[in-house]
Amino acid sequence: MDSTASALDLLAALLTGRAPPSSEGDDHHRRLLALLATSLAVLVGCGVALLVRRSSGSPQAVPAPPLAAKKAREAEEPDPDDGRQRVALFFGTQTGTAEGFAKALAEEAKARYDRAVFKVLDLDDYAAEDQDYEEKLKKENIALFFLATYGDGEPTDNAARFYKWFSEGNEKGEWLSNLRFAVFALGNRQYEHFNKVGKEVDQLLAEQGGKRLVPVGLGDDDQCIEDDFNAWKELLWPELDKLLRAEENSSTAPTPYMAAIPAYRIVFTKPEDEKHINKSFSLSNGHVVYDIQHPCRANVAVRRELHTPASDRSCIHLEFDIAGTSLTYETGDHVGVYAENLTETVEEAEKLLGYSPDTSFSIYADQEDGTPLFGGSLPPPFPSPCTVRVALTRYADLLSSPKKSVLIALAAHASDPKEAERLRHLASPSGKKEYSQWIIASQRSLLEVISEFPSAKPPLGVFFAAIAPRLQPRYYSISSSPRMAPTRIHVTCALACGQTPTGRIHKGVCSTWMKHSTPSEENQECSWAPIFVRQSNFKLPADPTVPIIMVGPGTGLAPFRGFLQERLALKETGVELGRAILFFGCRNRQMDFIYEDELNNFAESGALSELIVAFSREGPTKEYVQHKMAEKAADLWSIISQGGYVYVCGDAKGMARDVHRTLHTIVQEQGSLDSSKTESYVKSLQMDGRYFRDVW
């Protein structure tokens, strides 16, 4: 009883702050008091952590327990002296495909090589400053690069800094002699500069001393890029076996690898748990600098149709209001817009998945103790808690054709064995031709495929991690100048709407949203979207007296409208302007001659020297901008040969190629050059920053 009373006295003293009664065992009491204080602190800390976790639906608000965080850091940052080989996997991605391939290969490689460490790295995050790239790359022994090319042969946003530094640093000599490397390039064969970035980095790595493990892989998104990746991967394994497998295991075949199907952790919640989430949805998260991860909420101020009622197509002029925000832009920049899926599309998805639209849930990329799921390879989850309706509307790409990995994930959750087998067959090498025809050529959307396999009911965690890609922002050339519209970002958008081979009417996500948006000039309850600005090198000459040639049919006119606004503003302040010729093209003057009055006003004011329009459907033969350029060949050569700039904006697959060929012909004929010198001359225009293309 004495010991019990003594312990109770000590506990009372601990809670009240008073000293315990003195006794012969003071030292013993003090030690016991210290032990009790520590235990109570731990209990209180656990209680607070549990309360925080329950009161917050956001995983970011819950720090990982110290031990779990320490283990995660140790896994990410291996001890360089632990004897294991380090393999760096770098990615340059615009939509997440290159990053996904890098992570998939890393996961499979971890299963094959237990004596190696694999680190997936964002090229932009790899080096804080440009000069750090050289110092860090010198320490790498094995590096795999996954590099996408987009636009007019340009690197992705997160690889742009590395690509510029690496491609301009050819004077270093063979400084990568310790590096063994392989490159998988991602692109689309329909574009002129197919996989340019991956090819060039592969060549530069070899020229600067690196040892190539396998030929550069050429991924073609116009067909099945997963097949291209798998073929390249099969070439890579034998080479990695030589470097990473222990000698005693070198003759043993590796255990067949079955990729785990990724899944977020889902916790279903009560609707009232959403009350602390801003239902108006803003990803800005308090950031002053807006970017793709932290866009700015912008109201639609103006929306108007640019085509006449006689047209069977649609083109929208939209203005985002950025007054009162810190978002700024420059003439020629791009705006990224996060749009929402149509309600009819979302309702179809809810029906196919078997979830009520009001079902509320929170989504996590870690376990309850803070340990990352799937080795930390899952993308950060979207804001939650939210409803199924909100998640499908804002975050899920429901209309793209599913990749083969999606079919495998669906098969794993199909209760009908025949449906599961059919899905696995489409994803297998033996089903390559059928997949190409039934999904790619037929342009079947994710929802169309799911509807063909009604027994496939994936859980939400699997659906958002492995089946529905994240809905990506759409990019548009800004069609205004901050000199004329400092608080507005103008967009010129053609409505994407057409029938697919299956008979489905495909409606572009963002263009359809813009078409049906409500502007604030009509209703205070206006439409809005998260937007951000992406800088571009598509800029007017620094010297406004330098003459320019602009070629932009259809919505390719967008950046040139901004250029002309800029030139008009400069002219009104007394700045002398050089000559400016604009080649614009449309079908018919009475239907789709967009911004006609504005263009005529630019010409009358002197901001535009000459407006030349090609109407493709008015005469007996189709006439396009390249035909008008050929008619003005002597004039154009005079401008180019005297230091003028050439700008082209619009469709990369057709128009931009035709214009490029016409420019090549003009230079060759007017400059009396042979084919080789003509090619060098046109390339020098691009290298010198006098020939710009903003194409898609």
Side-chain angles (χ1 to χ4, degrees):
M1 288 293 293
D2 288 343
S3 62
T4 303
S6 177
L8 290 173
D9 288 340
L10 286 169
L11 182 59
L14 180 64
L15 294 172
T16 62
R18 299 191 185 94
S22 60
S23 69
E24 295 177 354
D26 280 348
D27 288 342
H28 170 72
H29 288 158
R30 278 193 291 270
R31 288 195 297 272
L32 186 56
L33 182 62
L35 178 61
L36 282 168
T38 303
S39 301
L40 187 60
V42 170
L43 286 170
V44 171
C46 291
V48 170
L50 182 60
L51 181 63
V52 170
R53 180 174 287 276
R54 285 185 173 177
S55 64
S56 172
S58 172
Q60 291 88 344
V62 186
L67 183 60
K70 183 172 184 284
K71 287 181 178 178
R73 284 196 299 272
E74 288 173 352
E76 291 177 3
E77 301 294 343
D79 182 352
D81 299 320
D82 68 357
R84 294 185 293 171
Q85 277 267 40
R86 171 187 162 103
V87 181
L89 297 93
F90 299 102
F91 66 85
T93 191
Q94 200 68 26
T95 62
T97 305
E99 180 180 4
F101 283 158
K103 289 179 175 178
L105 190 140
E107 288 303 307
E108 185 170 355
K110 288 174 187 176
R112 293 175 67 105
Y113 311 110
D114 57 358
R115 299 191 181 187
V117 176
F118 297 85
K119 179 79 170 172
V120 179
L121 300 159
D122 184 315
L123 275 168
D124 198 42
D125 296 337
Y126 182 63
E129 303 293 337
D130 289 2
Q131 59 267 25
D132 296 338
Y133 279 117
E134 181 173 357
E135 179 184 347
K136 298 191 79 171
L137 279 172
K138 282 181 178 177
K139 298 177 182 178
E140 305 290 358
N141 292 319
I142 305 173
L144 309 177
F145 292 81
F146 301 79
L147 300 171
T149 299
Y150 87 104
D152 192 30
E154 299 165 16
T156 60
D157 291 348
N158 78 305
R161 189 163 59 91
F162 165 78
Y163 181 72
K164 186 175 187 297
W165 168 82
F166 195 51
S167 59
E168 293 177 356
N170 298 330
E171 70 285 350
K172 299 187 187 72
E174 295 189 358
W175 62 285
L176 292 172
S177 56
N178 293 327
L179 181 70
R180 292 173 174 84
F181 73 90
V183 176
F184 183 74
L186 298 87
N188 188 306
R189 201 174 292 275
Q190 294 295 320
Y191 289 83
E192 183 176 348
H193 300 288
F194 175 57
N195 278 327
K196 175 186 175 185
V197 173
K199 290 176 181 176
E200 288 195 358
V201 168
D202 177 78
Q203 181 179 342
L204 289 168
L205 286 167
E207 289 176 355
Q208 297 180 34
K211 308 296 188 299
R212 184 185 288 111
L213 293 173
V214 294
V216 59
L218 300 178
D220 182 11
D221 199 39
D222 192 50
Q223 295 299 316
C224 182
I225 199 167
E226 286 174 297
D227 287 345
D228 300 326
F229 170 63
N230 288 329
W232 176 81
K233 190 173 61 173
E234 292 310 309
L235 295 176
L236 181 65
W237 292 134
E239 301 304 317
L240 290 181
D241 286 348
K242 298 174 187 176
L243 300 172
L244 302 177
R245 298 188 72 192
E247 290 184 11
E248 63 270 20
N249 295 329
S250 59
S251 59
T252 306
T255 304
Y257 175 75
M258 285 295 294
I261 296 171
Y264 290 109
R265 179 168 62 90
I266 298 294
V267 177
F268 290 100
T269 59
K270 298 177 182 178
E272 55 265 28
D273 292 339
E274 295 178 64
K275 60 188 176 184
H276 69 282
I277 294 290
N278 180 4
K279 294 226 170 62
S280 65
F281 174 64
S282 172
L283 294 176
S284 60
N285 203 26
H287 283 244
V288 176
V289 178
Y290 297 111
D291 56 25
I292 189 171
Q293 300 297 334
H294 309 99
C296 171
R297 172 178 171 143
N299 289 338
V300 174
V302 174
R303 174 191 54 77
R304 71 173 186 268
E305 175 62 55
L306 294 174
H307 284 189
T308 69
S311 174
D312 60 353
R313 296 173 300 130
S314 175
C315 185
I316 303 301
H317 171 86
L318 201 81
E319 298 181 16
F320 286 109
D321 186 357
I322 57 172
T325 73
S326 59
L327 185 64
T328 60
Y329 72 100
E330 294 181 3
T331 307
D333 281 347
H334 301 142
V335 61
V337 181
Y338 284 97
E340 296 183 347
N341 286 307
L342 278 171
T343 301
E344 62 191 57
T345 303
V346 174
E347 289 175 344
E348 182 185 357
E350 291 165 352
K351 181 180 178 182
L352 290 171
L353 294 173
Y355 284 97
S356 164
D358 297 326
T359 301
S360 182
F361 67 95
S362 290
I363 182 168
Y364 303 95
D366 58 6
Q367 297 176 13
E368 290 187 16
D369 66 356
T371 305
L373 292 167
F374 297 91
S377 63
L378 287 173
F382 46 78
S384 68
C386 65
T387 63
V388 167
R389 170 62 57 92
V390 168
L392 293 174
T393 299
R394 295 174 177 168
Y395 308 117
D397 183 349
L398 304 172
L399 297 179
S400 294
S401 295
K403 297 187 181 300
K404 290 186 174 182
S405 59
V406 171
L407 304 184
I408 293 172
L410 285 172
H413 295 279
S415 57
D416 184 332
K418 291 182 179 179
E419 290 184 6
E421 181 58 33
R422 165 98 168 126
L423 284 163
R424 284 191 288 268
H425 170 70
L426 286 168
S428 69
S430 61
K432 178 179 180 179
K433 185 176 180 180
E434 196 170 349
Y435 172 85
S436 178
Q437 293 175 345
W438 194 73
I439 291 183
I440 302 300
S442 298
Q443 300 172 30
R444 271 187 167 81
S445 69
L446 172 62
L447 293 187
E448 283 183 288
V449 171
I450 294 177
S451 69
E452 294 283 342
F453 301 93
S455 78
K457 301 291 182 186
L460 287 181
V462 172
F463 182 77
F464 289 113
I467 293 174
R470 193 68 57 88
L471 193 59
Q472 296 294 316
R474 271 51 172 179
Y475 293 97
Y476 299 91
S477 301
I478 296 176
S479 57
S480 56
S481 164
R483 289 183 183 271
M484 296 282 280
T487 62
R488 298 282 178 87
I489 287 179
H490 295 191
V491 173
T492 306
C493 172
L495 178 66
C497 184
Q499 190 173 34
T500 68
T502 64
R504 174 177 65 93
I505 302 300
H506 174 76
K507 300 176 181 179
V509 172
C510 199
S511 63
T512 302
W513 177 85
M514 289 186 179
K515 171 76 172 176
H516 299 291
S517 62
T518 302
S520 60
E521 66 178 5
E522 295 179 6
N523 193 324
Q524 286 187 331
E525 295 296 320
C526 61
S527 302
W528 59 271
I531 69 171
F532 60 96
V533 170
R534 184 175 69 185
Q535 292 184 334
S536 163
N537 63 356
F538 202 76
K539 305 295 182 188
L540 283 165
D543 180 359
T545 64
V546 172
I548 62 173
I549 300 163
M550 299 171 285
V551 184
T555 55
L557 174 62
F560 303 131
R561 181 174 180 266
F563 279 16
L564 293 171
Q565 286 186 1
E566 180 100 352
R567 283 171 60 89
L568 180 58
L570 290 172
K571 185 175 178 61
E572 289 176 346
T573 61
V575 174
E576 181 185 353
L577 301 178
R579 192 176 177 199
I581 299 178
L582 171 64
F583 292 90
F584 173 69
C586 62
R587 292 185 178 184
N588 187 294
R589 185 188 302 272
Q590 306 302 322
M591 296 182 182
D592 57 351
F593 192 170
I594 62 175
Y595 301 118
E596 179 180 5
D597 291 341
E598 287 187 26
L599 294 177
N600 289 330
N601 288 335
F602 286 134
E604 292 170 7
S605 66
L608 178 61
S609 307
E610 190 172 1
L611 172 62
I612 301 169
V613 184
F615 298 105
S616 63
R617 306 291 172 89
E618 284 194 356
T621 59
K622 291 185 177 181
E623 191 172 47
Y624 297 109
V625 286
Q626 62 267 25
H627 301 133
K628 292 293 187 182
M629 288 175 65
E631 293 174 7
K632 300 283 292 184
D635 205 10
L636 297 184
W637 172 245
S638 175
I639 292 174
I640 294 169
S641 60
Q642 293 176 29
Y645 283 38
V646 180
Y647 299 89
V648 180
C649 181
D651 170 42
K653 299 177 184 178
M655 182 278 300
R657 283 183 174 180
D658 294 336
V659 167
H660 184 80
R661 282 193 287 265
T662 301
L663 180 64
H664 193 282
T665 301
I666 290 171
V667 169
Q668 184 170 3
E669 293 179 354
Q670 297 296 317
S672 301
L673 304 175
D674 61 30
S675 182
S676 177
K677 289 182 178 178
T678 299
E679 190 66 39
S680 297
Y681 187 94
V682 173
K683 189 168 185 178
S684 71
L685 289 177
Q686 293 176 304
M687 298 299 292
D688 295 342
R690 290 175 51 211
Y691 177 20
F692 295 93
R693 307 201 316 170
D694 183 0
V695 298
W696 56 83

